[in-house]
Amino acid sequence: MSHNGKTRGYEVLFHRHEKNPILTAEDWPYPAHSVFNAAATKLADGTTLLLCRVEDRRGHSHLCAARSANGVDGWIIDERPTLSPDVENHPEELWGIEDPRITYVDELGKYAVAYTAFSRGGPGVALALTTDFRTFERKGLIMQPDDKDAALLPHRIDGSFALIHRPVTDSGAHVWISYSPDLRNWGSHKLMLQARKGSWWDANKVGLSPPLIETPRGWLMLYHGVRHTAAGCLYRLGVALFAIDKPEVCLLRGDSWIFGPEASYERSGDVGNVAFPCGYTLGPDGDTINMYYGGADSCIALATGSIRELLRWLDEHGSPSPS
Ligand code: BMA
């Protein structure tokens, strides 16, 4: 399939790890139907922490932490769910909590976990803070349904915290950015990245994948695009670059997808043809991206890329995109 670093003539920007899938429900210390869509971060001591979405046989999800020294194997998985729905205090979590994204916020000295809280009202965006991934300080629902695919930026922009998220409106499912002085009151909503139309690979629905990656040239966004086909949906990954001081301004957006379901564990599972990253860590060189993604809603896999290569590819294949 792959020849001279190319697949079917296209450049390969993310390389699948040979040990994929790196985590499945078989590895879990307690009953779990499937594990997928994990958030990722590197702790102060260099340990890679994945906050994994675990689905039980009711179909409800919770989050569970797995820690590894090398980010590939030797995972130490919490013996019990790390963050479970707290339905009594947070009825918005009635049907589970899903698809977390982690951002370390220097100013707070805490990790911010944005996740989808699912209930009768639909999926909305919830936020919790933690220092150790053992106890969490919930901020509750910060974006009402229907909204998901959220992550906080690591520092304030022009004095405000900034949250990327994906509300669904009559006009489609596009990526927005909203600002807050205190992580509680949100406003100054701005459209950031629009789904394209027609036969485009990212027509109808786009959403943030892992949290934004800060580079000297701007914020690098890996986003998923959803193509509806007669056989179901195809979830693929694209890349775009946004202005550092004004993240709603798109500087470059790639025309084609750069990563999509090809391996067997991405092609088949509970929901086939899905590659869905929710987290990344950076290598010691500051350039290597370790991207963690869910395969077919059934496993967790790893692929590596390079910030420099993504920026070069965007220069060659991207164009400014109106917001
Ligand atoms: C999206 C999200 C993801 C899931 C994907 C494919 O809408 O809910 O959690 O991986 O669909 O099923």
Side-chain angles (χ1 to χ4, degrees):
M1 195 198 280
S2 184
H3 180 64
N4 286 343
K6 296 199 168 182
T7 295
R8 298 173 198 150
Y10 291 99
E11 200 175 338
V12 177
L13 290 167
F14 276 101
H15 302 269
R16 289 171 178 81
H17 199 281
E18 58 185 18
K19 292 200 169 154
N20 277 351
I22 57 164
L23 281 168
T24 72
E26 302 287 315
D27 302 310
W28 243 246
Y30 57 87
H33 166 66
S34 60
V35 299
F36 53 115
N37 300 3
T41 195
K42 254 192 196 164
L43 303 176
D45 66 357
T47 300
T48 296
L49 179 140
L50 297 185
L51 194 58
C52 310
R53 173 176 172 188
V54 180
E55 195 182 283
D56 63 26
R57 279 206 180 177
R58 296 173 305 164
H60 296 195
S61 294
H62 62 266
L63 309 181
C64 183
R67 294 169 172 83
S68 155
N70 63 10
V72 176
D73 52 19
W75 295 99
I76 297 168
I77 303 168
D78 280 1
E79 294 292 323
R80 281 179 289 279
T82 308
L83 187 66
S84 291
D86 175 4
V87 180
E88 202 176 310
N89 298 307
H90 293 276
E92 68 272 11
E93 299 184 355
L94 177 68
W95 293 336
I97 55 177
E98 307 176 350
D99 300 358
R101 272 88 170 176
I102 300 170
T103 307
Y104 184 74
V105 185
D106 239 337
E107 175 189 336
L108 305 173
K110 291 176 183 168
Y111 299 90
V113 184
Y115 56 94
T116 303
F118 192 22
S119 72
R120 294 181 207 285
V125 176
L127 189 71
L129 302 179
T130 184
T131 54
D132 55 7
F133 293 92
R134 298 191 197 283
T135 58
F136 294 82
E137 180 194 326
R138 274 177 164 87
K139 296 280 177 193
L141 204 64
I142 55 168
M143 291 291 162
Q144 79 270 40
D146 185 335
D147 205 332
K148 51 166 75 168
D149 299 325
L152 200 67
L153 262 55
H155 53 75
R156 293 180 192 248
I157 304 290
D158 204 15
S160 296
F161 290 109
L163 183 87
I164 318 274
H165 57 115
R166 204 284 308 280
V168 178
T169 67
D170 286 347
S171 77
H174 314 295
V175 178
W176 287 70
I177 185 164
S178 302
Y179 295 93
S180 169
D182 55 8
L183 295 180
R184 189 180 179 84
N185 300 287
W186 293 91
S188 300
H189 312 290
K190 304 232 164 45
L191 183 57
M192 201 174 172
L193 186 87
Q194 263 181 286
R196 283 183 265 218
K197 292 184 190 298
S199 63
W200 277 96
W201 68 273
D202 55 356
N204 308 314
K205 204 185 217 188
V206 289
L208 177 73
S209 271
L212 295 189
I213 303 167
E214 194 167 8
T215 81
R217 289 191 49 195
W219 298 101
L220 204 51
M221 179 195 278
L222 296 168
Y223 70 95
H224 55 268
V226 186
R227 169 89 182 268
H228 298 274
T229 78
C233 290
L234 281 161
Y235 277 76
R236 296 165 173 140
L237 206 64
V239 60
L241 185 70
F242 297 85
I244 274 291
D245 297 331
K246 237 179 172 224
E248 56 269 20
V249 175
C250 183
L251 304 173
L252 288 171
R253 179 181 186 170
D255 51 5
S256 49
W257 75 81
I258 57 164
F259 189 79
E262 284 172 21
S264 56
Y265 49 86
E266 300 155 1
R267 285 285 190 198
S268 67
D270 275 2
V271 185
N273 290 316
V274 176
F276 200 94
C278 287
Y280 73 90
T281 61
L282 287 184
D285 59 4
D287 181 63
T288 303
I289 305 170
N290 302 309
M291 179 177 79
Y292 294 91
Y293 64 101
D297 284 9
S298 298
C299 66
I300 295 169
L302 168 63
T304 54
S306 146
I307 293 176
R308 215 178 310 119
E309 292 288 287
L310 287 173
L311 289 170
R312 180 196 45 77
W313 183 87
L314 266 178
D315 283 331
E316 288 167 21
H317 299 272
S319 49
S321 169
S323 55

